[in-house]
Amino acid sequence: MAEAKPKTSPKSIKFLFGGLAGLSAGLLRQATYTTTRLGIYTILFEKMTGDDGRPPNFFLKALIGMTAGAVGAFVGTPAEVALIRMTADGRLPADQRRGYTNVFNALTRITREEGVTTLWRGCIPTMARAVVVNAAQLASYSQSKQALLDSGYFGDDILCHFCASMISGLVTTAASMPVDIVKTRIQNMRMIDGKPEYKNGLEVLVRVVGKEGFFSLWKGFTPYYARLGPHTVLTFIFLEQMNRLYKTYVLDR
């Protein structure tokens, strides 16, 4: 007697493919936002480096990071709009689903059905968050790397890049968590008697600190850092290696 094969339930199939929803949009967002911010930061950092090789000070690094983050967020907003819509599509009633097949289908349909400016909906808060995150992440990485090299215990190698990026991930987590709390609560706020629950981001911070305490702004710090730390490490290690290869095989030839 043949052994019966286990059947895959529709719910498990839906869960599997639901987890992949928006993958193309997520990849495009990284290809636009991340490459733009890192490219601009690298170019501006080199422009601001003195003729004697002296790097810019920390505040100038932060300013460069803010600029790179703002431009990168602007470039990446269309992909983020598509990502948010594609991942939320499965939670909508069947008659309200948009049914985008991939990120390019989403961008084309959004432009055709709602106008090209819809691709930059929510651009300002996205840029504001990127300014804070990149000022912390990029500036702290450059500063940490410089401090490690100046200590005499590190060379300009992967170990140095790893340590500097772990420090950068810690600083970025501390700086970005309050901003993320504001962003999340505004996105999920309710209407009370016809009025929004919060007037602006400052009110969110004041009410959260007043009701939940100052350190509630960093609630969930460890899992947040566990996610952001490896991401930061891989980002900067790959960036350093690509910069090294570019200088070796392109600039020095």
Side-chain angles (χ1 to χ4, degrees):
M1 185 176 178
E3 185 178 347
K5 294 182 179 180
K7 294 183 178 180
T8 304
S9 68
K11 286 186 177 180
S12 62
I13 294 175
K14 184 178 179 181
F15 175 81
L16 174 62
F17 287 98
L20 298 176
L23 177 61
S24 60
L27 292 173
L28 182 63
R29 181 185 178 276
Q30 291 299 324
T32 52
Y33 166 66
T34 303
T35 56
T36 300
R37 72 185 180 98
L38 293 179
I40 289 177
Y41 182 81
T42 302
I43 292 171
L44 293 179
F45 187 90
E46 291 177 351
K47 293 287 186 184
M48 297 295 178
T49 300
D51 295 333
D52 58 351
R54 184 179 181 83
N57 59 46
F58 178 77
F59 295 104
L60 193 53
K61 291 173 185 171
L63 181 61
I64 296 172
M66 292 167 68
T67 304
V71 177
F74 180 82
V75 173
T77 295
E80 183 158 349
V81 170
L83 174 63
I84 291 171
R85 291 192 177 197
M86 292 176 72
T87 53
D89 212 36
R91 298 192 294 270
L92 295 174
D95 60 334
Q96 296 181 20
R97 293 176 186 170
R98 300 179 176 93
Y100 300 132
T101 55
N102 55 62
V103 65
F104 300 107
N105 175 256
L107 296 175
T108 302
R109 284 182 51 191
I110 291 171
T111 302
R112 184 175 62 246
E113 297 168 9
E114 304 174 52
V116 68
T117 55
T118 307
L119 295 176
W120 280 272
R121 182 177 292 169
C123 182
I124 300 302
T126 301
M127 291 175 67
R129 179 187 180 278
V131 164
V132 174
V133 170
N134 284 277
Q137 186 183 56
L138 299 177
S140 63
Y141 173 77
S142 296
Q143 194 70 22
S144 300
K145 177 184 172 184
Q146 182 182 337
L148 292 173
L149 292 174
D150 291 344
S151 70
Y153 296 103
F154 292 86
D156 192 1
D157 51 22
I158 289 182
L159 177 60
C160 176
H161 305 157
F162 174 83
C163 294
S165 56
M166 287 297 289
I167 296 171
S168 172
L170 194 66
V171 174
T172 307
T173 300
S176 64
M177 283 194 73
V179 182
D180 279 341
I181 288 176
V182 170
K183 179 174 176 285
T184 301
R185 298 212 178 189
I186 287 180
Q187 288 175 336
N188 296 326
M189 68 180 174
R190 301 164 296 169
M191 297 297 289
I192 302 175
D193 297 328
K195 297 181 180 180
E197 188 176 3
Y198 304 105
K199 294 179 181 178
N200 50 51
L202 181 60
E203 184 181 357
V204 175
L205 288 176
V206 171
R207 288 172 61 176
V208 169
V209 171
K211 291 181 180 180
E212 304 174 36
F214 179 73
F215 290 103
S216 66
L217 296 175
W218 291 275
K219 188 181 296 181
F221 184 93
T222 301
Y224 194 103
Y225 179 60
R227 178 186 68 83
L228 188 62
H231 176 271
T232 305
V233 169
L234 291 174
T235 297
F236 285 116
I237 285 180
F238 278 112
L239 176 65
E240 292 282 4
Q241 295 308 306
M242 286 189 289
N243 284 339
R244 181 180 63 81
L245 292 173
Y246 178 74
K247 290 177 182 177
T248 301
Y249 293 104
V250 178
L251 296 183
D252 294 343
R253 294 187 69 175

